[in-house]
Amino acid sequence: MGHTFPGATVPFGMVQLSPDTDTIPYAVDGKYNPDVYKYCAGYQYEDPTIVGFSHTHFSGTGHSDLGDILIAPTSGKIQLNPGTAPHPETGFRSKYSHSTEMASPNYYRVTLEDHNIMAELTTTTRVGIHKYTYSEQDSANIILDLVSGIYNYDGKNVNTYVRIVDSVTIIGYRQTNGWARNRTVYFAIKFSEPIRNYGYNDFQNNKVYRGFWRKFNLKENFPEMSASQLRAYFQFDLPENNELMMKVALSSVSMEGALNNMDYEASGWNFDKYLRDGRAQWDRELLKYKIQSSNEDILKTFYTAVYHTCLGPTVYQDISGKYRGLDLEIHESFDGSTNYTTFSLWDTYRALHPLFNLTQHDRNRDMIISMLNHQEQSAEHMLPIWSHHANENWCMIGYHAVSVIADAYAKGIDGIDYKKALNACVTTARTRYFEGLGDYMNLGYVPEDKSGSSVSKTLEYAYDDWCIAQLALKLGETAIYKEFSERALSYKNVYDKSTGFMRAKTSKGEFIKEFDPLSTHQAGYIEGNAWNYSLYVPHHIDSLVKLMGGQKKFAQHLDSLFTMQLADKYFEHTEDITREGIMGSYVHGNEPSHHVIYMFNKVGRPDLTQKYIRQVLNTKYLAKNDGLSGNDDCGQMSAWYIFSALGFYPVCPGSDTYSIGSPLIENATIQLASGANLLINVKNQGEKNCYVKSVTFNGKKIKNWEISHSEIIKGGILEFVMSSKPIR
Amino acid sequence: MGHTFPGATVPFGMVQLSPDTDTIPYAVDGKYNPDVYKYCAGYQYEDPTIVGFSHTHFSGTGHSDLGDILIAPTSGKIQLNPGTAPHPETGFRSKYSHSTEMASPNYYRVTLEDHNIMAELTTTTRVGIHKYTYSEQDSANIILDLVSGIYNYDGKNVNTYVRIVDSVTIIGYRQTNGWARNRTVYFAIKFSEPIRNYGYNDFQNNKVYRGFWRKFNLKENFPEMSASQLRAYFQFDLPENNELMMKVALSSVSMEGALNNMDYEASGWNFDKYLRDGRAQWDRELLKYKIQSSNEDILKTFYTAVYHTCLGPTVYQDISGKYRGLDLEIHESFDGSTNYTTFSLWDTYRALHPLFNLTQHDRNRDMIISMLNHQEQSAEHMLPIWSHHANENWCMIGYHAVSVIADAYAKGIDGIDYKKALNACVTTARTRYFEGLGDYMNLGYVPEDKSGSSVSKTLEYAYDDWCIAQLALKLGETAIYKEFSERALSYKNVYDKSTGFMRAKTSKGEFIKEFDPLSTHQAGYIEGNAWNYSLYVPHHIDSLVKLMGGQKKFAQHLDSLFTMQLADKYFEHTEDITREGIMGSYVHGNEPSHHVIYMFNKVGRPDLTQKYIRQVLNTKYLAKNDGLSGNDDCGQMSAWYIFSALGFYPVCPGSDTYSIGSPLIENATIQLASGANLLINVKNQGEKNCYVKSVTFNGKKIKNWEISHSEIIKGGILEFVMSSKPIR
């Protein structure tokens, strides 16, 4: 359910080297195939076969792409067809068993049973390192599959290329369209043993006109091949230990760039050294959090969450400093910053980037610089919405990069030209042809007849506009502050007093007729129903409470979200959530509600915040395979867990305020980006003691269940005293 | 017939901006469409309609590609379909009349009658300049067609991209496979007036998955578009003079590279200046030859030939020095040399490159450096065979780059690392998997059962090997000299004494059974029959003569080639030649016989050389539209004409010897690359006076009808005295 991958990677690494158990087509005959949904990260635990190991994976997305440069070691007869799951006999795919599988930071191991090969994987930032131990010396093959990919379909590959440079070196690329319209992954491969023999699939009917190539025997030992659907095999004589190693470097720039990346990061053949170096990187990340809990599952879940928050955004730049920009040109960082990709911003602005502001100051700065470069390189002159691999895929709604920027400013991230950043935010937010934005600017709301999911858009634009206003205010840009402060009130324009919910309007100003606040297919909303989305005014919670009838009524209303009994019909045809992930009508697997539980603090019911937070922490994140109640959404779900388990949460990024919840751990030392440590002591912790009796920071009582980032970042002791009884 | 294009270009220019009258598909349902053959250069004089003006064209090829970035100005309603020839009403194509057409160096003009637009074209090296004069001010459209191309077919476009940078600037690219498997043409466009409105064709069914783009109105005013089949329109309000100018810069490197090229070469809007500058370049080229003849047709034909010899190879490099190499990586020239492309070497090694050694020393050096870079960048480590736009298309046979290199060395072209060049030649000639070369090395001939056109290959390899041997000898590489001198004798291994012809053998050493020396479809030969190909031993003519029965017999045999009567059956299904282009069985339109007439000199019949040379000059090159008797073959046909019209010809490139023929002109001053002038005086010239009574160089009688390059290049006076009677 979490759509995470089990393979090897270093923190924020460009290479994510992981097994793909199936990669069924995204679409069949042009029609979306719903079965593909579970393969967002290429791997499903219940699958009995592995196709091979590919080098790029998203962690926790709800749509997909990537799965590039799939390597499959095989023995015996060459088979250039991956075969049909779950039948390994139909191709080079192999059965495997979880008992031979081992996945730990920067290491993955499995035995491919049909070929009797033990596969071990590790990585550097830009290079995947494979070690294959065969059972026979004279029957070792490597399949290089450039067709395979995640969310693949006929015609996704635009072009692929392979060139044999010498007896141990291959370069090439895979060029695709799809979620990313114009994406090229360049690669360079080196083998530890010389290639004895090589060849390609039959590409006679491969949609690529072959010119005058008929003059060669193209199927064997011909040093270059180009086609839309290309698979190659390589045969080896093994040394006495039956081991074959290979290194696969990636680049967004060129094949030469990939070779350079390999030269720099992985010039030798010491598998254990690469593994160790990557482990050391993981240690540095994981040990930023020193957690104590008597419940081992909590430790497991917590560190798993930390791991998941270091899987993206990922480095997207060659060691030379060059990278491919959104304009498809080659750019170079001269300021020493690192270019990042995979911005799932609708998810990650909520807690992941705020978490980075606590513990990954430098990376978050570079990520924001990457976003500003994206904006400069954008044909639409817009900040990223959902972008990966030098492409904007426009997934989801809003323009939440502005939240990340405003939050960074609010939290003192330096090294960013914020005047320029504000300009990028304003330009983005004034892009009239983007998703009803022109109408929103004219009418104060997005009309449903002009642009779907209009309520969700109106609410999120309003929040984003508040972020822009805050940034403008602090930068002294009064006119911008005024304009966007006004826009930030737009949520009021879709509030329907008669139902008490935010409700879609037409461009004539009328609420649309049919309305079911619990339906997840109700027009006006995306990844959430009216019930949940109506609570999405993180920047003006007090006003929202007033709008909805005052504190008491609001508290009751909010509580009913968790206590209501829902009919089964509301669970039909929903992606990204499980029945188990739902409490009443609260859906933790989807992001729009991530701040909701903390709203009880604002209406005099901190006890309910504490109760439900604890409930989510204990039931929606489990220390087992497939333990997440929804996609990890590029680290957002995990970042929510980390914050909430520590006892506070950034309800409204762009402000520097955290809301206090109910800590799950007993004791924590957090190594902050500032260099200081944040100590969290939880007294009288216990399974039933979910209620906070008192909370102090550096001995001072915390008021209104809020603490500011500027306090925390200097370090100190946050002390909770817990109780089994609610204290209101 | 000549497959030349009438459009605008500067000498050796990267842009060839020319009208395409039709671009019918290369293949229909995967099957070759023979009708496409005549559209190698995009234009046919008899066609009544013009589709538009595209920026890349071969001159005189027998297969094709290119036709990139087609621009069609239209008026009135937007029509994004080119339409079907000859019906302009079916699309944006337009009727035109030759009376409004004007084509002169670096200038082309025509009126598009259906749109009432006068189109004028000129160029700089890397930029096409368009001036369109509309008849109405408010109805001016430009169609940018990235689908259109020469030798196009469904699936040839891999990807195309357009980005609107600002109201006057567009960038993008067209990526194709085809004759070139991996080719990308980047472009940048600037308009003289701001775009009022723009949009694209419907690409719903355009084989490119559109991701989340459905959130925009993609058909109008959306600033970027990517699809395999893309056409865009742009609408303008015109100034009072009704003129719209546009500039289209190309690059092989990037869109940014194209913009830079435009900035450097064509930053302003003075059409006449660009025209004048290009004209000046043409004047410099054309006036290297100062020719006198009382026959105006001879002057026209001669200067047309000179023009054609300056259309290729073409510059393939950005103004920055960067270019895309054969390895698809970006390279940069640091030695000040210019990178060239379009090497139709099977054709051009014969006379075009030798002509360059007379008058284009620097360019030929850079072309050879380009070839050596190609070899370094080649996956096969081979010198170019037939290459264009960073791709090897492997067209035709042999490895004649070695001849170009050997000829350059023999003729003193400096600035080339000849040791490295020899190494490149040897590596190329030892590529065992190339076209029967392994068998050739083992058996001394290419066996027909292993590799078709085996006789042609054996003969051409033998000649090429002689070239390598000569280069090795001069460089003191004795072992290489020996190896290749031996290989140079391989022609003897396919000589069939019983028929007196070179004849295909099987790998068992037996001549193949069925044999018709006049058939152009006889196994063993390509673009020529056994009769013609058996004379292809340019490096050992004396030995060949001996092999074929001695001088007298050989002379008769040779003469019968021109006098025989041929049955019609021999003209069925032949490309690249016309019945009119044939004398007896001598086919001037195909290259393998280009040296043949000069062989009479070697067997005591210079009178026949003179007679037939004059006959070819007068009948196979005519001063009219479609005046060539075969494809110009990238300048080879024209180079033959120039040499022969001046009275000498390089029968065996790689030696420094020219063979004397029968000059056509009366007087010539040739500005040699050495700086010296070669004066040619022809006394007693006349239509019937085709025989040479005497010939002297600087007053010294020429012996054996041969003169060396080393003599000529120093300058001097070559004087012919002509006669109407043969002198033997």
Side-chain angles (χ1 to χ4, degrees):
Chain A
M1 194 63 216
H3 289 184
T4 55
F5 61 85
T9 189
V10 296
F12 307 94
M14 189 157 100
V15 164
Q16 306 88 30
L17 177 53
S18 189
D20 294 324
T21 56
D22 206 354
T23 44
I24 62 178
Y26 170 69
V28 177
D29 296 332
K31 229 186 122 189
Y32 174 68
N33 172 10
D35 293 341
V36 76
Y37 178 68
K38 63 179 177 173
Y39 290 105
C40 282
Y43 180 91
Q44 278 294 324
Y45 192 75
E46 71 272 19
D47 284 336
T49 61
I50 283 176
V51 189
F53 309 104
S54 72
H55 290 77
T56 54
H57 294 84
F58 289 129
S59 178
T61 56
H63 191 85
S64 208
D65 207 352
L66 313 184
D68 303 294
I69 326 297
L70 183 123
I71 301 295
T74 72
S75 58
K77 194 170 151 269
I78 294 293
Q79 169 59 275
L80 278 171
N81 185 335
T84 319
H87 304 291
E89 68 280 6
T90 58
F92 58 71
R93 73 167 59 232
S94 171
K95 284 196 298 296
Y96 75 107
S97 142
H98 292 304
S99 66
T100 68
E101 222 181 4
M102 171 165 176
S104 65
N106 202 31
Y107 182 69
Y108 177 84
R109 185 180 71 201
V110 74
T111 296
L112 300 173
E113 293 169 7
D114 292 291
H115 305 292
N116 215 344
I117 296 167
M118 181 172 73
E120 293 173 278
L121 311 174
T122 189
T123 70
T124 66
T125 299
R126 296 165 180 86
V127 188
I129 323 273
H130 308 236
K131 184 162 88 178
Y132 297 122
T133 309
Y134 292 75
S135 54
E136 289 171 59
Q137 262 178 38
D138 58 351
S139 168
N141 317 315
I142 292 289
I143 309 297
L144 167 62
D145 183 345
L146 299 181
V147 181
S148 186
I150 294 170
Y151 272 37
N152 233 7
Y153 51 88
D154 192 33
K156 182 163 178 177
N157 272 21
V158 170
N159 200 17
T160 56
Y161 179 71
V162 168
R163 170 187 281 233
I164 317 304
V165 177
D166 58 38
S167 66
V168 296
T169 313
I170 309 168
I171 56 176
Y173 60 78
R174 177 179 188 237
Q175 187 186 3
T176 61
N177 66 68
W179 207 20
R181 293 177 311 283
N182 285 302
R183 193 174 69 93
T184 304
V185 182
Y186 298 92
F187 66 86
I189 298 176
K190 279 196 188 279
F191 294 107
S192 60
E193 301 296 326
I195 303 161
R196 187 182 69 207
N197 201 46
Y198 63 92
Y200 311 93
N201 58 316
D202 185 353
F203 53 102
Q204 195 77 35
N205 297 310
N206 215 255
K207 293 184 185 160
V208 171
Y209 174 62
R210 290 187 293 140
F212 279 74
W213 287 50
R214 61 178 176 264
K215 8 185 88 176
F216 299 98
N217 172 8
L218 299 180
K219 293 181 75 176
E220 264 188 38
N221 298 321
F222 187 72
E224 56 172 334
M225 199 53 59
S226 184
S228 64
Q229 311 284 316
L230 193 56
R231 293 189 180 97
Y233 67 85
F234 302 89
Q235 297 179 296
F236 300 88
D237 295 317
L238 295 181
E240 284 198 359
N241 63 5
N242 284 9
E243 281 179 14
L244 178 69
M245 275 185 66
M246 64 187 289
K247 300 180 288 194
V248 183
L250 303 188
S251 167
S252 66
V253 173
S254 63
M255 297 174 276
E256 193 188 11
L259 275 171
N260 286 346
N261 288 341
M262 192 187 299
D263 280 354
Y264 186 87
E265 289 188 0
S267 60
W269 289 104
N270 190 333
F271 184 92
D272 291 339
K273 182 189 173 295
Y274 299 122
L275 170 55
R276 265 198 319 273
D277 289 352
R279 278 282 169 85
Q281 289 183 54
W282 276 115
D283 284 347
R284 279 195 291 281
E285 293 305 334
L286 296 170
L287 296 177
K288 284 181 180 168
Y289 303 84
K290 295 206 181 70
I291 301 297
Q292 287 180 24
S293 173
S294 48
N295 182 338
E296 271 211 20
D297 277 359
I298 290 176
L299 294 176
K300 268 194 206 171
T301 307
F302 190 93
Y303 284 107
T304 299
V306 175
Y307 180 85
H308 286 155
T309 61
C310 298
L311 296 177
T314 48
V315 171
Y316 193 67
Q317 184 173 37
D318 282 359
I319 203 73
S320 64
K322 287 182 183 165
Y323 68 96
R324 191 167 301 270
L326 190 71
D327 54 5
L328 306 176
E329 303 279 8
I330 308 304
H331 295 268
E332 198 165 347
S333 296
F334 293 106
D335 59 0
S337 70
T338 299
N339 188 59
Y340 284 88
T341 193
T342 305
F343 292 111
S344 180
L345 288 160
W346 183 80
D347 301 299
T348 57
Y349 81 92
R350 300 168 201 263
L352 183 67
H353 287 283
L355 185 69
F356 290 162
N357 285 335
L358 269 186
T359 56
Q360 304 279 3
H361 177 296
D362 291 352
R363 283 196 214 270
N364 206 38
R365 181 188 52 222
D366 285 1
M367 287 169 192
I368 290 170
I369 291 173
S370 302
M371 291 180 203
L372 296 177
N373 287 336
H374 171 118
Q375 193 265 342
E376 281 194 340
Q377 295 155 7
S378 155
E380 298 78 20
H381 309 295
M382 288 182 76
L383 285 160
I385 305 299
W386 206 130
S387 84
H388 71 283
H389 283 210
N391 278 261
E392 174 60 81
N393 65 46
W394 304 108
C395 191
M396 293 308 293
I397 58 170
Y399 31 87
H400 301 298
V402 307
S403 163
V404 177
I405 292 167
D407 197 55
Y409 190 84
K411 292 173 182 170
I413 306 300
D414 59 3
I416 292 167
D417 181 344
Y418 282 103
K419 284 266 181 192
K420 178 179 150 183
L422 176 64
N423 191 38
C425 293
V426 168
T427 304
T428 301
R430 286 182 186 152
T431 308
R432 302 188 69 94
Y433 57 63
F434 176 70
E435 296 241 89
L437 205 43
D439 289 315
Y440 169 83
M441 290 166 72
N442 294 340
L443 303 172
Y445 64 94
V446 176
E448 181 71 19
D449 51 331
K450 294 294 183 63
S451 188
S453 308
S454 62
V455 178
S456 298
K457 286 174 188 168
T458 301
L459 296 173
E460 298 195 13
Y461 292 162
Y463 161 70
D464 287 337
D465 291 343
W466 176 85
C467 291
I468 296 172
Q470 299 314 297
L471 187 60
L473 178 65
K474 290 163 193 159
L475 293 172
E477 297 283 352
T478 320
I480 294 172
Y481 169 69
K482 275 188 157 171
E483 174 187 346
F484 283 88
S485 290
E486 200 164 305
R487 286 172 54 149
L489 299 171
S490 303
Y491 61 91
K492 297 188 178 177
N493 301 329
V494 289
Y495 182 69
D496 173 20
K497 225 174 159 179
S498 72
T499 60
F501 292 101
M502 304 290 181
R503 184 170 170 189
K505 266 184 184 168
T506 66
S507 43
K508 288 183 180 159
E510 294 158 357
F511 288 112
I512 59 164
K513 292 219 173 85
E514 283 169 40
F515 185 65
D516 175 353
L518 287 169
S519 167
T520 50
H521 298 284
Q522 171 68 48
Y525 313 90
I526 185 167
E527 282 202 29
N529 57 18
W531 230 111
N532 279 279
Y533 245 113
S534 295
L535 302 167
Y536 190 82
V537 188
H539 55 299
H540 282 180
I541 293 177
D542 291 340
S543 293
L544 177 70
V545 167
K546 220 167 146 189
L547 207 59
M548 293 178 83
Q551 292 209 3
K552 201 171 166 189
K553 194 172 165 201
F554 187 86
Q556 284 167 353
H557 174 77
L558 206 54
D559 194 33
S560 72
L561 178 65
F562 296 88
T563 54
M564 67 174 68
Q565 294 288 329
L566 257 192
D568 274 340
K569 66 167 181 171
Y570 293 118
F571 296 98
E572 286 162 3
H573 313 297
T574 52
E575 270 186 356
D576 205 8
I577 48 171
T578 57
R579 182 77 195 245
E580 295 70 39
I582 295 177
M583 294 155 62
S585 180
Y586 173 83
V587 183
H588 190 68
N590 277 343
E591 274 69 9
S593 302
H594 273 191
H595 68 296
V596 158
I597 300 176
Y598 288 94
M599 292 170 87
F600 286 110
N601 280 343
K602 287 282 203 175
V603 292
R605 291 301 303 269
D607 57 319
L608 292 179
T609 293
Q610 293 152 19
K611 177 176 122 185
Y612 290 126
I613 287 295
R614 187 62 76 95
Q615 211 169 314
V616 172
L617 286 170
N618 281 330
T619 62
K620 307 305 173 214
Y621 298 82
L622 303 175
K624 61 171 199 176
N625 293 312
D626 206 10
L628 290 174
S629 64
N631 298 341
D632 194 53
D633 286 318
C634 296
Q636 166 57 25
M637 288 283 280
S638 291
W640 189 98
Y641 182 89
I642 294 167
F643 270 121
S644 294
L646 295 176
F648 56 101
Y649 187 82
V651 165
C652 180
S655 86
D656 90 330
T657 304
Y658 298 105
S659 196
I660 298 291
S662 171
L664 188 65
I665 48 93
E666 285 156 22
N667 194 294
T669 305
I670 320 294
Q671 187 186 313
L672 301 171
S674 61
N677 282 338
L678 173 65
L679 274 67
I680 300 172
N681 276 327
V682 184
K683 292 189 171 164
N684 199 29
Q685 179 64 291
E687 221 183 302
K688 290 184 178 166
N689 300 356
C690 68
Y691 297 106
V692 178
K693 196 168 164 184
S694 73
V695 52
T696 59
F697 186 64
N698 291 336
K700 218 177 118 191
K701 203 173 170 205
I702 287 178
K703 288 179 195 158
N704 299 323
W705 306 100
E706 281 180 0
I707 186 168
S708 75
H709 180 85
S710 57
E711 287 174 273
I712 282 182
I713 200 71
K714 289 180 202 133
I717 303 175
L718 182 66
E719 190 162 278
F720 293 86
V721 181
M722 307 304 290
S723 163
S724 62
K725 284 177 199 144
I727 291 117
R728 283 162 69 175
Chain B
M1 194 62 218
H3 289 183
T4 55
F5 61 84
T9 188
V10 296
F12 306 97
M14 191 157 100
V15 165
Q16 306 88 31
L17 177 52
S18 189
D20 294 324
T21 56
D22 205 353
T23 44
I24 60 178
Y26 170 68
V28 177
D29 296 331
K31 228 188 125 191
Y32 174 68
N33 171 10
D35 292 342
V36 76
Y37 179 68
K38 62 180 176 173
Y39 290 105
C40 282
Y43 180 91
Q44 279 292 324
Y45 193 76
E46 70 272 19
D47 283 337
T49 61
I50 284 175
V51 190
F53 309 104
S54 72
H55 289 78
T56 54
H57 294 84
F58 291 129
S59 178
T61 55
H63 192 84
S64 206
D65 209 349
L66 313 185
D68 302 293
I69 326 297
L70 183 123
I71 301 294
T74 72
S75 59
K77 194 170 152 271
I78 294 292
Q79 169 59 274
L80 277 171
N81 183 335
T84 318
H87 304 291
E89 68 280 6
T90 58
F92 58 71
R93 73 168 59 233
S94 171
K95 285 196 298 295
Y96 74 107
S97 142
H98 292 304
S99 67
T100 67
E101 220 180 8
M102 173 165 171
S104 64
N106 202 32
Y107 183 70
Y108 176 83
R109 186 180 72 202
V110 75
T111 296
L112 299 172
E113 292 169 9
D114 292 291
H115 305 292
N116 215 345
I117 296 167
M118 181 172 73
E120 293 173 277
L121 311 175
T122 189
T123 71
T124 66
T125 299
R126 295 164 181 86
V127 188
I129 324 273
H130 307 235
K131 184 163 88 179
Y132 297 122
T133 309
Y134 292 76
S135 53
E136 289 170 58
Q137 261 177 40
D138 57 351
S139 166
N141 316 315
I142 292 289
I143 309 297
L144 166 63
D145 183 343
L146 298 181
V147 181
S148 186
I150 295 169
Y151 271 39
N152 232 9
Y153 50 89
D154 194 31
K156 181 163 178 176
N157 272 23
V158 169
N159 200 16
T160 56
Y161 181 71
V162 169
R163 170 187 280 233
I164 317 303
V165 178
D166 59 38
S167 66
V168 296
T169 314
I170 310 168
I171 56 177
Y173 60 78
R174 177 180 189 235
Q175 186 185 3
T176 61
N177 65 67
W179 206 20
R181 293 178 310 283
N182 286 302
R183 193 173 70 92
T184 305
V185 183
Y186 298 92
F187 66 86
I189 297 177
K190 279 196 187 280
F191 294 108
S192 59
E193 301 297 326
I195 302 162
R196 187 181 69 207
N197 200 48
Y198 63 92
Y200 312 92
N201 56 316
D202 185 353
F203 54 100
Q204 195 76 36
N205 296 310
N206 215 256
K207 292 184 185 159
V208 171
Y209 174 63
R210 290 187 292 141
F212 279 74
W213 286 51
R214 61 178 177 265
K215 5 186 93 175
F216 300 97
N217 172 9
L218 299 179
K219 292 180 76 174
E220 263 188 38
N221 297 322
F222 189 71
E224 56 172 333
M225 200 51 60
S226 185
S228 64
Q229 311 284 314
L230 193 55
R231 293 187 182 98
Y233 67 86
F234 303 89
Q235 297 179 294
F236 299 87
D237 295 317
L238 295 182
E240 285 199 357
N241 63 7
N242 283 9
E243 281 179 14
L244 177 70
M245 274 184 67
M246 63 187 291
K247 300 180 287 193
V248 183
L250 304 187
S251 168
S252 65
V253 172
S254 65
M255 297 173 276
E256 193 189 12
L259 275 171
N260 285 346
N261 288 341
M262 192 188 299
D263 280 355
Y264 187 87
E265 289 187 359
S267 60
W269 289 105
N270 190 335
F271 184 92
D272 292 340
K273 183 189 171 297
Y274 299 121
L275 170 55
R276 264 198 320 274
D277 288 352
R279 278 283 168 83
Q281 290 182 51
W282 275 115
D283 284 348
R284 280 196 292 280
E285 293 304 336
L286 297 169
L287 295 178
K288 283 180 179 168
Y289 303 85
K290 294 204 183 72
I291 301 299
Q292 286 179 23
S293 173
S294 50
N295 183 337
E296 271 211 21
D297 278 359
I298 290 174
L299 293 177
K300 270 194 205 172
T301 306
F302 190 93
Y303 283 107
T304 299
V306 175
Y307 180 85
H308 285 154
T309 61
C310 298
L311 296 177
T314 48
V315 170
Y316 193 67
Q317 185 173 35
D318 283 359
I319 203 74
S320 65
K322 287 182 182 163
Y323 68 95
R324 191 166 301 269
L326 190 69
D327 53 6
L328 306 176
E329 304 279 10
I330 308 303
H331 295 269
E332 198 164 346
S333 296
F334 294 106
D335 59 0
S337 70
T338 299
N339 188 60
Y340 284 88
T341 193
T342 305
F343 291 112
S344 180
L345 287 159
W346 183 80
D347 300 300
T348 57
Y349 81 91
R350 300 168 201 264
L352 183 67
H353 287 283
L355 184 69
F356 290 162
N357 285 335
L358 268 187
T359 57
Q360 304 279 4
H361 176 294
D362 290 353
R363 284 197 213 269
N364 207 38
R365 179 187 55 222
D366 285 2
M367 288 169 191
I368 289 170
I369 290 172
S370 303
M371 291 180 202
L372 296 176
N373 287 335
H374 171 119
Q375 193 266 341
E376 280 193 341
Q377 296 155 5
S378 155
E380 299 79 18
H381 309 294
M382 288 182 76
L383 284 161
I385 305 299
W386 207 130
S387 84
H388 71 283
H389 284 211
N391 277 261
E392 174 59 82
N393 65 46
W394 305 109
C395 190
M396 295 306 294
I397 58 170
Y399 32 85
H400 301 298
V402 307
S403 164
V404 177
I405 293 168
D407 198 53
Y409 190 83
K411 292 172 182 171
I413 307 301
D414 58 5
I416 293 166
D417 181 344
Y418 282 104
K419 284 265 181 192
K420 178 180 150 183
L422 176 64
N423 192 38
C425 292
V426 168
T427 303
T428 300
R430 285 182 188 152
T431 309
R432 300 188 71 94
Y433 57 63
F434 176 70
E435 294 241 271
L437 205 44
D439 290 315
Y440 168 84
M441 289 165 73
N442 295 341
L443 303 172
Y445 64 94
V446 176
E448 181 70 20
D449 51 331
K450 294 295 182 63
S451 188
S453 309
S454 62
V455 178
S456 297
K457 287 173 187 167
T458 301
L459 296 173
E460 297 195 13
Y461 291 162
Y463 161 70
D464 285 338
D465 291 343
W466 176 85
C467 290
I468 296 172
Q470 298 314 298
L471 187 60
L473 178 65
K474 290 165 194 158
L475 294 170
E477 296 284 352
T478 320
I480 294 172
Y481 169 70
K482 273 189 159 172
E483 174 188 346
F484 283 88
S485 290
E486 200 165 304
R487 286 170 57 148
L489 299 171
S490 302
Y491 61 90
K492 295 187 179 177
N493 300 330
V494 289
Y495 183 70
D496 172 22
K497 222 173 160 182
S498 73
T499 59
F501 291 103
M502 304 291 180
R503 185 171 168 187
K505 266 183 183 170
T506 67
S507 44
K508 289 185 179 157
E510 294 158 357
F511 287 113
I512 59 166
K513 293 221 172 83
E514 281 170 42
F515 185 66
D516 175 353
L518 287 170
S519 167
T520 51
H521 299 284
Q522 171 69 47
Y525 313 91
I526 185 167
E527 284 203 28
N529 56 17
W531 229 112
N532 280 279
Y533 246 113
S534 295
L535 301 168
Y536 191 81
V537 187
H539 54 300
H540 282 180
I541 294 178
D542 290 340
S543 293
L544 178 71
V545 167
K546 221 168 145 185
L547 207 60
M548 292 180 82
Q551 291 210 1
K552 200 171 165 190
K553 194 174 164 196
F554 187 87
Q556 282 166 355
H557 175 77
L558 205 55
D559 194 33
S560 73
L561 177 65
F562 297 88
T563 55
M564 67 173 67
Q565 294 288 329
L566 259 189
D568 274 340
K569 65 167 181 170
Y570 292 118
F571 297 97
E572 287 162 2
H573 314 297
T574 52
E575 272 188 354
D576 204 11
I577 48 171
T578 57
R579 181 77 194 244
E580 296 68 39
I582 295 177
M583 295 154 63
S585 180
Y586 173 83
V587 183
H588 190 67
N590 277 342
E591 274 70 10
S593 300
H594 273 191
H595 67 295
V596 159
I597 300 176
Y598 288 95
M599 292 170 87
F600 285 112
N601 280 344
K602 286 283 203 176
V603 292
R605 293 300 303 269
D607 56 319
L608 292 179
T609 293
Q610 293 152 20
K611 178 176 120 183
Y612 289 126
I613 287 294
R614 187 61 76 93
Q615 211 170 316
V616 172
L617 287 170
N618 280 330
T619 62
K620 306 306 171 214
Y621 300 82
L622 304 176
K624 59 171 197 176
N625 294 313
D626 207 10
L628 290 174
S629 63
N631 299 340
D632 194 52
D633 286 317
C634 296
Q636 165 56 25
M637 287 282 279
S638 290
W640 190 96
Y641 182 89
I642 294 168
F643 270 123
S644 293
L646 295 176
F648 56 102
Y649 187 83
V651 165
C652 180
S655 85
D656 90 329
T657 304
Y658 298 105
S659 195
I660 298 292
S662 171
L664 187 64
I665 47 93
E666 283 156 24
N667 197 293
T669 305
I670 320 294
Q671 187 186 315
L672 300 171
S674 61
N677 283 337
L678 173 65
L679 274 66
I680 299 171
N681 276 329
V682 184
K683 291 189 171 165
N684 199 28
Q685 178 62 291
E687 220 182 304
K688 293 186 174 163
N689 299 356
C690 68
Y691 297 106
V692 177
K693 195 169 166 183
S694 73
V695 52
T696 59
F697 186 64
N698 291 337
K700 219 177 118 189
K701 204 174 167 200
I702 287 176
K703 286 179 196 162
N704 299 324
W705 305 100
E706 281 181 359
I707 186 167
S708 75
H709 181 84
S710 57
E711 287 175 274
I712 282 181
I713 201 70
K714 291 179 202 135
I717 303 174
L718 182 64
E719 188 164 281
F720 293 87
V721 181
M722 306 304 289
S723 161
S724 62
K725 284 178 197 146
I727 290 116
R728 285 162 68 175

